[in-house]
Amino acid sequence: MATHPKHPNLIVFDHPLIQHKLTHLRDRETGFRACRALMFQIAGLMVYEVTRTFPSERVTIQTPIEPFEGRRINAKITVVPVLRAGLGMAEGVLDAMPEARVGHIGLFRDEETLNPIQYLSRLPKDLDAGPVILVDPMLATGGSASKAIAMLKAAGATDIRMLCLVASPEGVQRLAHDHPELTIYAAALDRALNEHGYIMPGLGDAGDRLYGTG
Ligand code: PRP
Ligand code: URA
């Protein structure tokens, strides 16, 4: 898939099935049970593109008929959700890739400053043993994602991809500045942020939409 014409660090999925599900998820009438299912499904669909360049090796196996030379991914994959809302996407990714390890990063935004506050980091030790997929549905100011990526780098990760549902231009630009080597995979690039740092049109507070805490 091609990168976005204005943002070389961004790939947007314009697939009709993903857009259909995302529209349902954005709808304020959609309740938390449906939101959870939709986020799971969209993440599962997006995983195929995010993993396209994963390293693989040739391997010979025996079919019931004859030998066959196939391919096997030869790296340790780590999926890292940013709590809380990233958990909703991580489940969908893991459904498609059950052999992946899971690290957890806990961040929440200070409502006044919009700066991320860290409360958890549980990551595998050998993060450099393969690709790391950072998952968080919302890329708003980019503060949380930038911090999470810095934490992954400090923990040794060398191949990081970011998977989100809705990105803002501000967040995409922030990551291009802070982590220029990173590719962001998003289901949508929205218009802008409002004065409270929420994405417009967005889908509201992703954690609240998923867990019914709004
Ligand atoms: C949301 C979202 C991101 C962050 C994005 O989490 O899941 O982590 O906001 O905003 P930013 O790009 O401006 O940093 P939130 O802080 O609401 O925590 P929660 O998932 O626990 O509700
Ligand atoms: N976090 C959310 O959950 N939604 C937004 O629109 C921005 C930050």
Side-chain angles (χ1 to χ4, degrees):
M1 281 174 80
T3 55
H4 189 277
K6 284 195 193 148
H7 303 281
N9 59 337
L10 175 68
I11 292 177
V12 179
F13 290 68
D14 61 356
H15 193 285
L17 189 54
I18 291 178
Q19 295 310 318
H20 170 84
K21 289 177 186 293
L22 182 59
T23 299
H24 194 180
L25 180 59
R26 287 179 190 270
D27 189 336
R28 68 179 183 185
E29 301 300 330
T30 303
F32 58 87
R33 282 183 63 183
C35 281
R36 279 207 287 269
L38 288 161
M39 209 177 271
F40 178 98
Q41 291 163 11
I42 298 170
L45 292 169
M46 293 174 78
V47 97
Y48 294 99
E49 192 59 33
V50 178
T51 55
R52 183 183 288 279
T53 57
F54 271 13
S56 66
E57 64 187 1
R58 294 200 179 281
V59 58
T60 302
I61 54 99
Q62 194 74 34
T63 78
I65 310 298
E66 61 181 25
F68 172 75
E69 193 181 69
R71 290 173 68 182
R72 183 171 58 192
I73 291 177
N74 61 351
K76 283 188 183 171
I77 301 158
T78 310
V79 177
V80 180
V82 177
L83 310 186
R84 289 176 301 165
L87 287 172
M89 290 187 80
E91 291 302 322
V93 174
L94 291 168
D95 193 54
M97 249 174 10
E99 63 280 2
R101 308 178 297 178
V102 184
H104 293 88
I105 288 179
L107 298 174
F108 67 88
R109 284 199 316 183
D110 179 302
E111 287 186 9
E112 296 289 314
T113 65
L114 299 184
N115 288 327
I117 313 282
Q118 179 191 333
Y119 60 91
L120 182 81
S121 176
R122 290 277 184 280
L123 299 169
K125 287 199 169 47
D126 55 344
L127 271 185
D128 60 344
V132 177
I133 306 178
L134 179 68
V135 290
D136 190 338
M138 310 308 280
L139 177 62
T141 65
S144 302
S146 184
K147 167 97 180 153
I149 294 157
M151 290 167 68
L152 292 174
K153 286 181 177 173
T158 52
D159 175 356
I160 307 170
R161 298 132 203 251
M162 162 118 206
L163 183 60
C164 63
L165 290 189
V166 183
S168 75
E170 294 89 333
V172 172
Q173 278 159 15
R174 166 92 187 254
L175 290 190
H177 176 268
D178 294 356
H179 304 286
E181 76 294 342
L182 181 100
T183 300
I184 306 160
Y185 297 83
L189 175 66
D190 274 12
R191 195 170 77 250
L193 297 179
N194 69 14
E195 67 275 25
H196 305 293
Y198 277 83
I199 300 176
M200 300 184 292
L203 52 82
D205 186 303
D208 289 348
R209 295 292 310 276
L210 270 183
Y211 298 116
T213 46

